Amino acid sequence: MRPSRKVLTMPLRILSIAVLFGVAMKILAWPMATELMFLSFSTVGLLYCYRFWKKPTKQFMDYNKLILVSFWAFNGIFSLLDLPFTIVFQAIIAISFVLWFILEGVTYFIRGDQKTKNRSMLLLWNLAMVFGTLAIIAGSLLKILDWEYAISLLAMGIAIVFAYIFKDSFAGNGLQNDESNKGEYQM
């Protein structure tokens, strides 16, 4: 494994936390939310393109991930600037996400080379990530509808996703390079 990919993994994860924090700031109408999100989306797009460019061998899924991340970053920037054609970006994101999930996404939830106890723990940890993501989505929608407990649900979701990314970034066993993820790390 070349060190350049390991170096870029940490900034990409930190930037994903910054995007989440920017979304929470935007929903809560805090100042500088748009600037934080714009900077985070731009940097994620640039770093991921650089990471892809430095990869020595590229397969179909690498191109699909590049499309997914690049169009996600462009969609975020276009949405922040209120530019048209975000629906085109969202359609391409949806297609590439479904393709990724069908071809590779399930291996991110269960890896067959670990012990049964570790596999169960990994499955529970990944289910917590799914729950955190759903809590962010539900909290955001409830905040828009001005319902009670929306901020609590949003804060809980952000805390869970932050803990997931933080654990994977700084815990030694979260960054193992095995054959099931083909040298790529979760982002």
Side-chain angles (χ1 to χ4, degrees):
M1 171 69 86
R2 291 184 1 213
S4 65
R5 265 195 275 169
K6 285 185 179 181
V7 171
L8 290 179
T9 300
M10 185 66 70
L12 287 169
R13 289 179 179 187
I14 290 170
L15 287 167
S16 62
I17 291 172
V19 167
L20 283 173
F21 191 66
V23 168
M25 288 173 59
K26 185 90 167 167
I27 291 169
L28 296 172
W30 289 0
M32 303 296 289
T34 303
E35 291 81 359
L36 176 64
M37 290 173 61
F38 183 83
L39 182 67
S40 300
F41 279 125
S42 302
T43 311
V44 164
L46 291 172
L47 283 180
Y48 201 84
C49 288
Y50 178 74
R51 179 179 175 170
F52 174 79
W53 181 61
K54 291 300 257 182
K55 190 167 184 166
T57 57
K58 297 168 183 77
Q59 298 175 350
F60 174 76
M61 284 311 297
D62 298 321
Y63 289 101
N64 188 49
K65 289 177 190 176
L66 177 68
I67 290 169
L68 179 65
V69 173
S70 299
F71 278 84
W72 173 74
F74 279 124
N75 181 54
I77 292 169
F78 272 53
S79 296
L80 289 171
L81 298 176
D82 290 325
L83 296 174
F85 305 116
T86 55
I87 191 73
V88 174
F89 292 124
Q90 293 166 2
I92 294 171
I93 291 167
I95 292 167
S96 62
F97 178 77
V98 168
L99 242 162
W100 170 81
F101 189 78
I102 290 171
L103 297 176
E104 189 179 65
V106 179
T107 62
Y108 278 78
F109 289 103
I110 300 174
R111 296 185 182 139
D113 62 340
Q114 296 175 347
K115 295 179 182 175
T116 307
K117 182 180 177 183
N118 290 341
R119 189 176 324 138
S120 299
M121 197 62 171
L122 180 67
L123 181 63
L124 288 175
W125 187 242
N126 287 330
L127 286 176
M129 173 63 171
V130 170
F131 176 74
T133 304
L134 292 175
I136 290 171
I137 293 168
S140 301
L141 292 174
L142 292 176
K143 174 64 177 154
I144 292 169
L145 296 172
D146 206 23
W147 285 18
E148 197 174 353
Y149 304 115
I151 300 298
S152 302
L153 186 60
L154 179 64
M156 181 182 64
I158 289 174
I160 290 171
V161 172
F162 176 81
Y164 182 89
I165 295 171
F166 189 80
K167 182 238 179 223
D168 275 357
S169 297
F170 296 111
N173 60 0
L175 297 175
Q176 292 177 351
N177 181 13
D178 58 5
E179 288 300 315
S180 67
N181 64 6
K182 298 175 185 66
E184 289 290 325
Y185 293 121
Q186 253 177 313
M187 186 177 98

